[in-house]
């Protein structure tokens, strides 16, 4: 079943076309990675899909809701961990979770928060103010918050940026556990991450989608050994 | 409910960064005290006239730190997260406003305590003035939201200090507006700050003549500012995102 249907999606800023005629269909429960060098248009795409930014052109259906007309219905079933960590700086970790649980009016609030604390190993920093956390913990908190409303669709914009190897592996585990239950659209610059997590990847370059498929398909297509080599070859135009 | 959750968070955010509140309370308190010591022979500086001036002046500091809070949330991506949530524009404005109102109350109570120590007669009008300053504060709070919506964390206090200056010069708290030229006095009448002072002064001194035009002016400004703030905030939500 198609959960996200993107048709001819375009976003123009004054003199840049940040997203150029994008067409992608994402299946329910799929982990889809958007890849591309800096400025490729990944964040802009995620912002549009998560209702933060209006497209200049094109049509998007999420769970059969229209992205613009049924915005409020879509908001109920999605969540995001933005590229920059988004937390309330003067609140503690626990207060941050309680705050967002309140914003989403979560019913079994305490239970949900306890689960997230365990999942992300936040016990020892629970009463620390968010602004005093290390970058890694801030990011973990930001991602934990994005699961507070049990989203059906989750957008993760560079979720592992700034995480150490251990935390990154832990987060992979969390993401893998969500596989099949939550549709996840993520962006990353770590190719081994994209390779190990994603069902499919889409590679963007200058706003355009230039490759789409499973990591293995792209390795085959580009006649390379690793996914990272495949990515480099595709982005530098070695495919044609 | 969502509004209250948001207001509670904002309140915590404000009181845990107490420097700006201390400033917003201590500076007006200091001014109230020091101007009494000068014993300036002008009725504007009589305690029953100057205290309402200090109240309005302190509200301009409320504008300043509301704007900083809003601008900070915008830069820190928290607004982006909230923007994805089902929160509505009005809920933001209400949530920010509700969180600041307790501070206005604290300011007012402290000013009146000092004023009474300095010789103001305590009577029921003091209570009325405090009550009336709360709805008046909405104009200043929403003005802060408006400024925070269109500025950055760095420029927000600079732009808000324009409001502080405007209050000082156009409210008539420091000098009678009849003394100044025609053009300036017209500007003062058009801006809402003189009217806010008229109202608080009138209530404190139980002279209710000519208050209706002031009330209408403040009301119009408040409504326009709210509409503008909701509109711009919503707009910014979907365009801000760098
Ligand atoms: N608010 C904006 N105004 C103008 N240009 C923007 C804005 N946001 C992004 N861009 C431009 O759009 C392009 C895509 O940016 P972005 O989506 O952030 O890329 P990525 O996330 O892939 O690094 C870049 O060229 C960027 O400079
Ligand atoms: Mg990006």
């Amino acid at each position: 079943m198609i959960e996200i249907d993107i048709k001819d999606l375009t976003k123009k800023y004054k003199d840049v076309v940040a997203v150029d005629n994008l067409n992608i269909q994402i299946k329910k429960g799929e982990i889809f990675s958007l890849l591309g060098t800096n400025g490729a248009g990944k964040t802009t795409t995620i912002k549009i899909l998560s209702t933060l930014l209006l497209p200049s052109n094109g049509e998007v259906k999420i769970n059969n809701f229209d992205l613009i007309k049924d915005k409020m219905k879509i908001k109920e079933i999605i969540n995001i961990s933005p590229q920059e960590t988004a937390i309330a700086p003067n609140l503690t970790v626990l207060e941050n979770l309680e705050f967002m649980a309140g914003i989403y009016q979560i019913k079994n609030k305490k239970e949900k928060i306890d689960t997230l604390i365990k999942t992300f190993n936040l016990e020892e920093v629970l009463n620390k103010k968010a602004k005093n956390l290390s970058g890694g913990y801030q990011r973990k908190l930001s991602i934990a918050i994005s699961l507070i409303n049990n989203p059906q669709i989750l957008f993760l914009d560079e979720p592992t940026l700034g995480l150490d190897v251990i935390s990154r592996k832990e987060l992979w585990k969390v993401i893998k556990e969500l596989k099949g239950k939550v549709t996840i659209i993520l962006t990353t610059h770590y190719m081994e991450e994209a390779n190990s997590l994603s069902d499919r990847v889409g590679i963007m370059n200058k706003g355009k989608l230039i490759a789409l498929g499973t990591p293995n398909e792209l390795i085959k297509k580009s006649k390379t050994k690793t996914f990272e080599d495949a990515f480099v070859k595709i982005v530098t135009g070695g495919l044609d | 409910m969502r509004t209250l959750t948001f207001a509670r968070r904002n309140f915590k955010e404000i009181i845990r960064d107490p420097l700006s509140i201390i400033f917003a309370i201590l500076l007006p308190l200091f001014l109230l005290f020091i101007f009494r010591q000068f014993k300036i022979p002008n009725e504007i500086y009589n305690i029953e006239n100057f205290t309402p001036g200090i109240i309005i002046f302190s509200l301009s500091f409320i504008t300043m730190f509301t704007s900083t809070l809003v601008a900070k949330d915008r830069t820190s991506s928290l607004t982006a997260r909230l923007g994805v949530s089902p929160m509505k524009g009005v809920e933001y404005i209400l949530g920010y406003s509700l969180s600041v109102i307790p501070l206005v109350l604290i300011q007012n109570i402290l000013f009146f305590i000092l004023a009474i120590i300095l010789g103001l007669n305590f009577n029921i009008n003091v209570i009325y003035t405090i009550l009336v300053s709360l709805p008046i504060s909405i104009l200043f709070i929403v003005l802060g939201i408006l400024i925070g919506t269109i500025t950055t964390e760095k420029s927000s206090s600079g732009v808000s200090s324009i409001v502080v200056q405007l209050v000082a010069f156009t409210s008539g708290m420091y000098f009678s507006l009849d003394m100044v030229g025609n053009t300036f006095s017209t500007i003062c009448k058009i801006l809402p700050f003189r009217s806010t002072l008229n109202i608080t002064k009138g209530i404190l001194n139980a002279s209710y003549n000519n208050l209706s035009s002031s009330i209408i002016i403040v009301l119009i400004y408040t409504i326009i500012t709210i509409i503008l703030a909701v509109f711009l905030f919503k707009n910014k939500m979907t365009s801000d995102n760098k």
Side-chain angles (χ1 to χ4, degrees), chain A residues 47 50 52-53 72 75 78-80 84-91 95 99-100 102-105 142 145, chain B residues 1-2 5-6 9 12-13 16-17 76-78 80-88 237-239 241-242:
Chain A
K47 280 185 172 161
S50 60
L52 273 174
L53 201 60
M72 285 325 258
K75 283 170 181 289
I78 65 171
N79 212 326
I80 186 174
E84 299 86 17
T85 41
I87 47 186
N90 274 322
L91 297 193
E95 285 171 337
F99 166 47
M100 289 314 293
I103 294 294
Y104 278 96
Q105 304 179 307
S142 189
I145 292 174
Chain B
M1 258 7 259
R2 202 171 269 152
T5 305
F6 186 51
R9 172 264 162 179
K12 284 185 192 159
E13 199 80 37
R16 287 179 190 177
D17 234 346
S76 76
S77 267
L78 188 79
R81 176 178 293 293
L82 292 169
V84 173
S85 83
M87 214 156 112
K88 298 186 190 71
M237 283 288 246
T238 40
S239 70
N241 299 291
K242 292 142 283 167

Side-chain angles (χ1 to χ4, degrees), chain A residues 11-18 44 47 53 56, chain B residues 239 241-242:
Chain A
K11 177 71 189 180
K12 289 192 187 103
Y13 290 111
K14 271 182 209 94
D15 42 4
V16 221
V17 185
T44 307
K47 280 185 172 161
L53 201 60
S56 319
Chain B
S239 70
N241 299 291
K242 292 142 283 167

Side-chain angles (χ1 to χ4, degrees), chain B residues 128-196:
Chain B
Y128 290 155
T129 311
I130 293 178
L131 290 180
V132 162
S133 71
L134 297 181
I136 290 178
S137 73
I138 293 174
L139 171 63
F140 288 86
I141 295 169
V142 180
L143 212 53
I145 298 174
L146 194 67
I147 293 171
T149 303
I150 54 179
T151 56
T152 63
E153 190 182 345
K154 285 201 187 87
S155 63
S156 64
S157 46
V159 176
S160 313
S161 69
I162 297 174
V163 175
V164 177
Q165 301 297 333
L166 280 176
V167 169
F169 288 107
T170 71
S171 70
M173 67 177 286
Y174 289 116
F175 50 88
S176 168
L177 297 174
D178 307 329
M179 288 170 15
V180 295
N182 253 336
T183 328
F184 188 71
S185 133
T186 311
I187 293 175
C188 297
K189 274 182 194 144
I190 293 171
L191 289 171
F193 306 116
R194 189 183 97 114
S195 296
T196 57

Side-chain angles (χ1 to χ4, degrees), chain B residues 222-233:
Chain B
T222 307
I223 292 169
I224 292 177
T225 320
I226 291 176
I227 294 172
L228 221 63
V230 173
F231 175 76
L232 283 178
F233 194 86

Side-chain angles (χ1 to χ4, degrees), chain A residues 13-19 36-45 83 157-158 189, chain B residues 239-242:
Chain A
Y13 290 111
K14 271 182 209 94
D15 42 4
V16 221
V17 185
V19 177
T37 50
N38 289 324
K42 307 179 295 290
T43 296
T44 307
T45 305
Q83 186 170 332
D157 200 354
E158 301 195 22
H189 287 298
Chain B
S239 70
D240 218 12
N241 299 291
K242 292 142 283 167

Side-chain angles (χ1 to χ4, degrees), chain A residues 48-49 51 60-62 65-71 74:
Chain A
I48 294 171
L49 296 181
T51 74
V60 178
K61 286 257 183 336
I62 292 185
F65 293 128
D66 183 85
L67 184 63
I68 293 163
K69 273 190 296 211
D70 310 316
K71 187 162 128 181
I74 291 176

